[in-house]
Amino acid sequence: MEYLEFELPIKELEDQLQKCMIIGEESDVDVTETCQQIEKKLADTKKDIYKNLTAWQRVQLSRHPNRPYTMDYINAICGDTFLELHGDRTVSDDKAMIGGLGKIGDQSYMFIGQQKGYNTKTRQYRNFGMANPEGYRKALRLMRSAEKFNVPVVCFIDTPGAYPGIEAEERGQGEAIARNILEMTRLKVPIIVVIIGEGASGGALGIGVGDKVLMLENTWYSVISPESCSSILWRSWEYKEQAAEALKLTAPDMKKLKLIDEIVREPLGGAHSNRDKTFDTVKNKISNHFAELKKLSPKDLVNQRMDKYANMGVFNG
């Protein structure tokens, strides 16, 4: 288990607890009471730390190396029913954007999402979760297939942004993202979006238009990352914590601004601290929201979605 800087008090107590238990096992000394005291202190410390997280600490948690990625959610939710589909039928298959058909119970869904890597080799293979234009075109192709066969769409967002390389711009990165936003607003099947990690810039918006947009508790959603914002405003990355606060990028901020529909609670310590519980929660949320959305006709679904986005940012002075 890896620990972030603000989690070090938890690590110290867990180390103490482990040593205490080893002493109890290797000697005749009764350490039960001491272990119980450490366990109580550990539980209180966890509660205190995770209930008072700053915006920057939530950003750090969203990038935690042990945090589950898109394929982890899909494999846990769909089991062996998932069939991955490849290629945009124009350029290539983007490994940073994955998609395919899978089932929750008896209901089929088209799952789409950005995938990051677990180590140096897979991070390069997945391009650090930064999709090229062909990734967004693949996503759109899959969405249109879902619409054709009346299959609901589920999008998992976890990206530091769309790939900013010259070749991506040459192949029309901006156009691909804009096209997806346009087409998603008028797709005639339910779209459920779940932000499971980083939700940065147009890279997130390219698969982020939905009837229901859910955000896990320790994720962020913003036009720019705190580091990039800090480097633009202060010419230094040192002010990233202030930038994170100013950007209002956390789930509670997004809910307050009515830019998302629901905050999905995570286990104490983050999604990675109890993966099975996180997967079950997300699975149930998807099923529950689809149960509501399938009652709407395609026309009502599209009208409601367009109204929702048209009303964002409206100011009544």
Side-chain angles (χ1 to χ4, degrees):
M1 185 72 170
E2 293 189 43
Y3 294 85
L4 300 169
E5 194 178 338
F6 66 88
E7 295 176 310
L8 292 179
I10 295 168
K11 184 182 186 298
E12 286 172 23
L13 287 167
E14 284 181 346
D15 290 344
Q16 283 177 28
L17 182 61
Q18 198 173 359
K19 284 174 187 172
C20 185
M21 289 165 79
I22 290 167
I23 291 166
E25 287 167 10
E26 294 179 352
S27 68
D28 296 329
V29 181
D30 185 10
V31 293
T32 310
E33 194 178 332
T34 310
C35 284
Q36 284 174 347
Q37 286 174 351
I38 296 170
E39 280 174 351
K40 187 182 183 303
K41 194 176 179 186
L42 177 62
D44 291 342
T45 304
K46 278 185 173 180
K47 207 172 281 184
D48 189 48
I49 287 173
Y50 294 118
K51 294 293 179 190
N52 299 292
L53 292 172
T54 64
W56 174 244
Q57 286 168 342
R58 289 194 192 277
V59 171
Q60 288 178 293
L61 268 179
S62 77
R63 298 169 176 168
H64 199 289
N66 300 122
R67 195 173 176 88
Y69 297 141
T70 296
M71 279 306 294
D72 297 317
Y73 282 92
I74 290 172
N75 289 332
I77 289 169
C78 302
D80 57 2
T81 66
F82 181 66
L83 173 69
E84 189 174 352
L85 301 168
H86 299 272
D88 71 336
R89 302 291 185 269
T90 308
V91 178
S92 68
D93 181 43
D94 191 335
K95 302 296 187 291
M97 185 77 76
I98 56 159
L101 290 161
K103 284 188 172 185
I104 298 177
D106 294 328
Q107 176 61 49
S108 295
Y109 293 86
M110 181 66 80
F111 290 94
I112 297 164
Q114 291 103 351
Q115 175 67 23
K116 293 177 175 177
Y118 300 92
N119 52 37
T120 306
K121 192 175 180 181
T122 55
R123 281 174 193 140
Q124 286 178 326
Y125 179 73
R126 297 291 182 184
N127 200 30
F128 300 87
M130 296 187 292
N132 278 282
E134 47 271 26
Y136 293 100
R137 290 179 180 130
K138 171 165 79 170
L140 182 57
R141 179 178 77 80
L142 298 184
M143 287 179 210
R144 282 176 172 155
S145 293
E147 183 182 49
K148 183 179 178 181
F149 297 106
N150 197 29
V151 174
V153 175
V154 176
C155 297
F156 290 115
I157 292 177
D158 186 13
T159 180
Y163 184 57
I166 292 172
E167 62 272 32
E169 295 297 334
E170 286 172 347
R171 293 196 296 274
Q173 184 73 284
E175 188 277 337
I177 291 170
R179 173 69 56 190
N180 275 25
I181 294 170
L182 171 66
E183 296 295 341
M184 286 181 88
T185 57
R186 56 193 189 191
L187 206 71
K188 293 182 177 68
V189 290
I191 308 172
I192 298 165
V193 176
V194 189
I195 299 157
I196 59 170
E198 299 184 270
S201 194
L205 280 179
I207 57 166
V209 178
D211 300 294
K212 295 292 176 185
V213 180
L214 319 179
M215 251 181 113
L216 266 69
E217 198 175 356
N218 297 309
T219 61
W220 61 278
Y221 198 22
S222 174
V223 70
I224 194 170
S225 72
E227 295 95 330
S228 300
C229 177
S230 174
S231 65
I232 290 169
L233 294 181
W234 288 281
R235 301 276 185 254
S236 164
W237 278 28
E238 287 178 23
Y239 300 93
K240 54 187 179 287
E241 293 179 38
Q242 285 170 248
E245 291 291 340
L247 285 167
K248 304 289 181 204
L249 43 66
T250 65
D253 291 324
M254 290 285 120
K255 185 79 174 72
K256 191 178 175 184
L257 294 167
K258 297 179 181 175
L259 298 174
I260 63 162
D261 299 288
E262 188 181 347
I263 299 169
V264 179
R265 296 284 164 215
E266 293 182 22
L268 195 67
H272 55 284
S273 65
N274 188 340
R275 286 178 164 227
D276 291 339
K277 188 179 177 183
T278 305
F279 296 146
D280 280 343
T281 305
V282 171
K283 180 181 178 178
N284 292 334
K285 292 288 181 190
I286 291 168
S287 296
N288 294 343
H289 282 296
F290 174 65
E292 289 299 312
L293 293 170
K294 71 178 181 182
K295 295 173 187 173
L296 299 170
S297 69
K299 188 179 178 182
D300 289 340
L301 196 69
V302 172
N303 288 341
Q304 196 170 290
R305 192 185 306 144
M306 286 195 166
D307 288 343
K308 174 186 167 183
Y309 282 91
N311 290 327
M312 283 183 184
V314 172
F315 177 71
N316 297 314

